[in-house]
Amino acid sequence: MSFKDLHLNPKILKAIAELNYNKPTPIQQKTIPFVLEGFDVIGTAQTGTGKTAAFALPILDRLSQIPDAKKGAKKIKALIVSPTRELAIQIEENFKQFSHYTNLRTTAIYGGASMQPQIEILKKGVDILVATPGRLLDLHKRDLIVLDYVQTLVLDEADMMLDMGFINDVKKIESLCPCQKQTLLFSATLPTKIKILANELLTTPKNVSVSAISSAAKTVSQELYMVGKPKKIELCLHLLRNYISGNIIIFRRTKFGVNKLEKTLQKHNYKVDSIHGDKTQSARTKALNKFKNKEVNILIATDVAARGIDIPKLDIVLNFDLPNIPETYVHRIGRTGRAGAKGRALSFCSVDEKSYLKDIQELIEKKIAVIDEHPYPLDPKAKPEIHKKKGSKYKKGRKSEASKKKKKRWY
Ligand code: AMP
C-alpha cells in the first residue's frame, strides 16, 4: 500500500513526500481508512510506530476539504489531548509539517510556559489544538477556548494520562466537546482501566493494533546486569568507557536520581543533559534539542518527562533503575530499535528491584539475558533493604503531616 492508495489530499502527500515518508507504516495503513470514514478508533501502538501521522493525516485531510469561508473556519475542529508538554510540542510540530501546503493552523498549549503567548495565538484562531489537560481546562474556564466546533477528539498516550491521574480531566474535556464527534484513543498498552474508559467515551470503535499488547520490540536486544545499588554508578561508567556509545537515554525513576547521575557523568566529562518534571519547559526543550542536534549524546530522564518524545536514531536505552510499572519498561525500550533498526536496551537490577524484574519478565513473557561478566556483580546473599522498621513512626498507614498536605511529584 502506498500513501496515494489512501487518497489523501495532494497537498498533504507533497508534504509527507518531502519528509521522506515513502510508505505508510502498519498502524497508518490500518488506522487512516477508519478515521477517514469517521469511525471512532482504539489504537494500540508503541511509540515509534508512526501513530502520530496515523491520526494527523486523516484529520488534516478531512479539515482541508472544508472551505475557509464556511462556518467554523479558524475554530478548533480537532483537539488532541496529550499527557506531557514535550509530546504536545512534538504533535504540534508534526501537524505543522504535514499541513505545510494547506491553510490549516495548529497550535499547542501546555503548562509550565507563559500563558500570554498561547492566548495570543488562540485569539487569532486555530483549526487544530494540541493540549495538555490542565492548561486546556484552565484556559477553557477563562473562556479563551471554544470547543463547540470540535469534530475529532484524540486522546493520545491514554494509559499515561491515566497513570498521571488525568482521568477526570480527560472525561471533563470530552464532555466539553460536542456529543456528535469522532473520538480516537491511542495507548501503548491496553489495560482494563483503558478498556473501561474507551467503553465510556467511544461509540462502536474500531480496534487497531500493530503488535501484541505489552510486547517489546523484536528488534531490541535486551541485557540485564545484576548489580548492587551503590555500585550502579561504577557499572554505568564502566559500560560507557568500554562497551556502549552513540545516542543513549538513561532512565531513572526519580528526578533526584536524574540530577545526581547528571552531576557524576559531567564530572567524568561526558556530554550529558537531562529532563524531568522539575525543570522549566524551556530547559526541557533546550535539553532535548541539544540531544537531537548531537551536542550531547547522553540524555538522562524520568519516564514522565520522556514519554512519547520522538528521538530518531537512538542507539541505547539504559535502565539505570528498573521501573516499578512493568508497562513502563516496554515504553522505555521501545525508543530504540525503531523502524526496523537494531537497538539495545540495558537494564540494571539491584536486589531491591527483583520484584520489578519479575513483573517485567511476566509481562514481556521472556527472561532477559543476564550479563554476568562485569566487575560489580550482585552479592548472591544480598537481601533487600528493610525500609519500615517495627515500631518506627513511619509505619504503614501513618503519614506525616507534610505528606498529608502535599503529595510531592517524584517524576
Ligand atoms: P511516532 O510513532 O508518531 O512518534 O513516529 C515515529 C517516527 O517515525 C517519527 O520520526 C516519524 O517522523 C516517523 N514516521 C512516521 N510515519 C512514517 C512513514 N510512513 N515513513 C517514514 N517515517 C515515518
Side-chain angles (χ1 to χ4, degrees):
M1 185 191 267
S2 75
F3 277 112
K4 279 205 184 98
D5 298 329
L6 293 166
H7 305 292
L8 296 169
N9 181 327
K11 290 178 180 172
I12 298 172
L13 289 177
K14 186 176 176 194
I16 56 176
E18 284 174 10
L19 293 168
N20 294 322
Y21 286 21
N22 302 320
K23 194 175 169 292
T25 65
I27 188 79
Q28 291 162 5
Q29 291 184 24
K30 290 180 186 174
T31 310
I32 293 174
F34 285 141
V35 181
L36 288 174
E37 280 181 60
F39 285 107
D40 282 5
V41 170
I42 302 178
T44 318
Q46 295 175 25
T47 47
T49 54
K51 73 180 158 68
T52 315
F55 62 78
L57 298 179
I59 287 176
L60 288 168
D61 182 81
R62 287 176 58 191
L63 296 185
S64 64
Q65 289 169 27
I66 305 172
D68 259 3
K70 221 179 149 196
K71 187 171 173 257
K74 300 291 165 263
K75 298 275 197 306
I76 299 160
K77 292 179 285 297
L79 173 64
I80 294 91
V81 186
S82 131
T84 67
R85 317 160 213 205
E86 283 80 6
L87 183 58
I89 292 170
Q90 202 163 291
I91 297 171
E92 177 197 24
E93 259 172 40
N94 279 329
F95 266 95
K96 284 186 168 164
Q97 288 171 329
F98 304 150
S99 63
H100 184 72
Y101 295 105
T102 73
N103 293 326
L104 296 165
R105 286 196 212 156
T106 304
T107 199
I109 56 168
Y110 39 83
S114 165
M115 245 184 214
Q116 205 49 41
Q118 297 179 1
I119 293 172
E120 295 306 321
I121 298 175
L122 285 170
K123 278 185 181 159
K124 287 185 196 145
V126 294
D127 303 281
I128 299 131
L129 180 67
V130 189
T132 54
R135 180 58 57 100
L136 175 66
L137 289 173
D138 198 350
L139 290 175
H140 185 272
K141 215 156 76 191
R142 296 166 192 236
D143 286 332
L144 291 161
I145 288 179
V146 178
L147 297 176
D148 300 350
Y149 297 86
V150 170
Q151 300 171 4
T152 305
L153 170 67
V154 182
L155 305 172
D156 197 17
E157 302 270 358
D159 49 351
M160 184 61 164
M161 284 208 272
L162 261 56
D163 288 346
M164 289 174 75
F166 287 142
I167 182 143
N168 289 330
D169 286 355
V170 168
K171 287 184 184 172
K172 174 99 205 277
I173 291 164
E174 194 274 339
S175 73
L176 295 171
C177 298
C179 296
Q180 288 293 327
K181 66 177 172 305
Q182 177 183 45
T183 306
L184 315 173
L185 182 148
F186 287 87
S187 196
T189 55
L190 214 55
T192 312
K193 54 189 181 173
I194 295 288
K195 289 183 190 149
I196 294 170
L197 181 76
N199 216 7
E200 224 175 287
L201 304 186
L202 278 62
T203 314
T204 52
K206 298 284 182 191
N207 279 277
V208 293
S209 164
V210 284
S211 60
I213 293 163
S214 312
S215 75
K218 290 185 186 71
T219 48
V220 181
S221 76
Q222 300 172 60
E223 301 161 29
L224 184 67
Y225 294 79
M226 302 304 294
V227 54
K229 200 161 142 192
K231 293 290 176 196
K232 281 185 174 184
I233 183 67
E234 266 117 312
L235 178 58
C236 178
L237 289 166
H238 167 75
L239 292 173
L240 284 170
R241 265 187 231 117
N242 303 298
Y243 295 106
I244 57 177
S245 58
N247 285 336
I248 305 165
I249 280 201
I250 304 181
F251 282 103
R252 297 222 53 179
R253 285 204 305 124
T254 66
K255 57 195 177 191
F256 311 105
V258 168
N259 285 336
K260 201 168 150 204
L261 183 60
E262 184 181 9
K263 280 197 191 110
T264 311
L265 293 187
Q266 275 168 345
K267 239 192 263 164
H268 286 80
N269 297 322
Y270 286 100
K271 289 182 186 160
V272 51
D273 214 319
S274 68
I275 49 173
H276 60 63
D278 260 6
K279 288 204 160 187
T280 63
Q281 181 52 33
S282 72
R284 288 156 77 169
T285 309
K286 216 165 133 193
L288 199 60
N289 286 338
K290 274 165 82 179
F291 189 64
K292 283 187 179 175
N293 300 336
K294 299 194 174 12
E295 286 169 58
V296 299
N297 71 318
I298 303 173
L299 186 70
I300 313 172
T302 56
D303 293 295
V304 169
R307 181 69 179 263
I309 295 169
D310 177 35
I311 296 147
K313 294 198 188 108
L314 197 60
D315 300 302
I316 289 177
V317 169
L318 173 57
N319 296 311
F320 195 97
D321 304 310
L322 281 183
N324 53 348
I325 300 167
E327 282 83 4
T328 302
Y329 176 83
V330 179
H331 289 305
R332 288 182 180 182
I333 73 165
R335 295 172 169 283
T336 176
R338 290 184 167 207
K342 276 232 154 77
R344 263 176 93 188
L346 287 70
S347 301
F348 293 174
C349 179
S350 66
V351 68
D352 292 341
E353 294 169 307
K354 280 186 174 175
S355 65
Y356 302 157
L357 176 65
K358 187 169 162 278
D359 292 345
I360 290 165
Q361 296 192 137
E362 262 172 35
L363 180 80
I364 62 172
E365 293 178 342
K366 73 177 229 180
K367 290 241 181 277
I368 306 170
V370 179
I371 309 293
D372 287 324
E373 284 184 19
H374 67 83
Y376 310 101
L378 184 65
D379 175 0
K381 287 187 218 129
K383 294 240 163 28
E385 275 177 30
I386 297 163
H387 297 293
K388 290 169 192 133
K389 284 193 191 129
K390 219 177 162 188
S392 147
K393 62 179 177 166
Y394 299 113
K395 258 196 310 203
K396 200 177 168 193
R398 195 157 152 190
K399 287 189 182 140
S400 71
E401 280 311 306
S403 79
K404 269 187 218 160
K405 269 190 209 138
K406 190 179 176 212
K407 193 169 171 242
K408 192 152 171 49
R409 290 186 304 132
W410 46 267
Y411 40 78

